[in-house]
Short mmCIF file of all heavy atoms in Angstrom, two decimals:
data_model
loop_
_atom_site.label_atom_id
_atom_site.label_comp_id
_atom_site.label_asym_id
_atom_site.label_seq_id
_atom_site.Cartn_x
_atom_site.Cartn_y
_atom_site.Cartn_z
N LYS A 41 -152.39 67.00 -39.77
CA LYS A 41 -152.66 66.34 -38.49
C LYS A 41 -152.48 67.31 -37.33
O LYS A 41 -153.29 67.35 -36.40
CB LYS A 41 -151.75 65.13 -38.31
CG LYS A 41 -151.98 64.36 -37.02
CD LYS A 41 -151.05 63.15 -36.92
CE LYS A 41 -151.20 62.44 -35.59
NZ LYS A 41 -150.28 61.27 -35.48
N GLY A 42 -151.42 68.12 -37.39
CA GLY A 42 -151.19 69.11 -36.34
C GLY A 42 -152.29 70.14 -36.26
O GLY A 42 -152.76 70.48 -35.16
N PHE A 43 -152.72 70.65 -37.41
CA PHE A 43 -153.79 71.65 -37.42
C PHE A 43 -155.08 71.10 -36.83
O PHE A 43 -155.74 71.76 -36.03
CB PHE A 43 -154.06 72.11 -38.86
CG PHE A 43 -153.05 73.08 -39.42
CD1 PHE A 43 -153.17 73.54 -40.73
CD2 PHE A 43 -151.98 73.53 -38.66
CE1 PHE A 43 -152.26 74.44 -41.25
CE2 PHE A 43 -151.05 74.43 -39.18
CZ PHE A 43 -151.20 74.89 -40.48
N LEU A 44 -155.45 69.88 -37.22
CA LEU A 44 -156.68 69.29 -36.72
C LEU A 44 -156.60 69.00 -35.23
O LEU A 44 -157.55 69.22 -34.49
CB LEU A 44 -157.00 68.01 -37.51
CG LEU A 44 -157.38 68.21 -38.98
CD1 LEU A 44 -157.45 66.88 -39.71
CD2 LEU A 44 -158.70 68.96 -39.10
N THR A 45 -155.44 68.52 -34.81
CA THR A 45 -155.25 68.22 -33.38
C THR A 45 -155.35 69.48 -32.54
O THR A 45 -155.83 69.42 -31.39
CB THR A 45 -153.88 67.55 -33.17
OG1 THR A 45 -153.82 66.34 -33.93
CG2 THR A 45 -153.65 67.22 -31.70
N TYR A 46 -154.95 70.61 -33.09
CA TYR A 46 -155.00 71.86 -32.35
C TYR A 46 -156.26 72.68 -32.61
O TYR A 46 -156.29 73.88 -32.38
CB TYR A 46 -153.73 72.68 -32.61
CG TYR A 46 -152.67 72.35 -31.58
CD1 TYR A 46 -152.07 71.09 -31.56
CD2 TYR A 46 -152.30 73.26 -30.59
CE1 TYR A 46 -151.14 70.75 -30.60
CE2 TYR A 46 -151.36 72.94 -29.63
CZ TYR A 46 -150.79 71.67 -29.65
OH TYR A 46 -149.87 71.34 -28.68
N GLY A 47 -157.29 71.99 -33.12
CA GLY A 47 -158.62 72.60 -33.12
C GLY A 47 -159.13 73.17 -34.41
O GLY A 47 -160.20 73.79 -34.40
N ALA A 48 -158.41 73.02 -35.52
CA ALA A 48 -158.90 73.57 -36.78
C ALA A 48 -160.30 73.03 -37.07
O ALA A 48 -160.58 71.84 -36.89
CB ALA A 48 -157.95 73.23 -37.92
N LYS A 49 -161.15 73.90 -37.53
CA LYS A 49 -162.53 73.52 -37.83
C LYS A 49 -162.60 72.57 -39.00
O LYS A 49 -163.37 71.59 -39.01
CB LYS A 49 -163.34 74.78 -38.13
CG LYS A 49 -164.78 74.56 -38.53
CD LYS A 49 -165.45 75.89 -38.84
CE LYS A 49 -166.89 75.71 -39.28
NZ LYS A 49 -167.51 77.02 -39.62
N ARG A 50 -161.77 72.86 -40.02
CA ARG A 50 -161.78 72.06 -41.23
C ARG A 50 -160.47 72.30 -41.99
O ARG A 50 -159.99 73.43 -42.07
CB ARG A 50 -162.97 72.46 -42.11
CG ARG A 50 -163.24 71.63 -43.31
CD ARG A 50 -164.69 71.77 -43.80
NE ARG A 50 -165.18 73.14 -43.78
CZ ARG A 50 -166.06 73.61 -42.89
NH1 ARG A 50 -166.54 72.82 -41.93
NH2 ARG A 50 -166.46 74.86 -42.93
N VAL A 51 -159.91 71.22 -42.53
CA VAL A 51 -158.69 71.35 -43.34
C VAL A 51 -158.92 70.67 -44.68
O VAL A 51 -159.30 69.50 -44.74
CB VAL A 51 -157.47 70.71 -42.65
CG1 VAL A 51 -156.24 70.84 -43.55
CG2 VAL A 51 -157.19 71.39 -41.31
N TYR A 52 -158.73 71.42 -45.75
CA TYR A 52 -158.81 70.88 -47.10
C TYR A 52 -157.42 70.45 -47.54
O TYR A 52 -156.43 71.12 -47.24
CB TYR A 52 -159.33 71.93 -48.08
CG TYR A 52 -160.76 72.33 -47.84
CD1 TYR A 52 -161.08 73.40 -47.00
CD2 TYR A 52 -161.81 71.65 -48.46
CE1 TYR A 52 -162.40 73.77 -46.77
CE2 TYR A 52 -163.14 72.01 -48.24
CZ TYR A 52 -163.42 73.08 -47.40
OH TYR A 52 -164.74 73.43 -47.18
N ILE A 53 -157.35 69.33 -48.24
CA ILE A 53 -156.08 68.89 -48.80
C ILE A 53 -156.25 68.66 -50.29
O ILE A 53 -157.34 68.35 -50.77
CB ILE A 53 -155.54 67.61 -48.13
CG1 ILE A 53 -156.47 66.41 -48.36
CG2 ILE A 53 -155.30 67.84 -46.64
CD1 ILE A 53 -155.89 65.08 -47.91
N THR A 54 -155.17 68.85 -51.02
CA THR A 54 -155.19 68.56 -52.44
C THR A 54 -153.95 67.78 -52.81
O THR A 54 -152.90 67.93 -52.19
CB THR A 54 -155.29 69.86 -53.27
OG1 THR A 54 -155.49 69.53 -54.64
CG2 THR A 54 -154.03 70.70 -53.13
#
Side-chain angles (χ1 to χ4, degrees):
K41 181 179 176 181
F43 283 179
L44 292 171
T45 301
Y46 269 67
K49 177 181 178 182
R50 188 158 42 253
V51 178
Y52 293 91
I53 63 172
T54 188

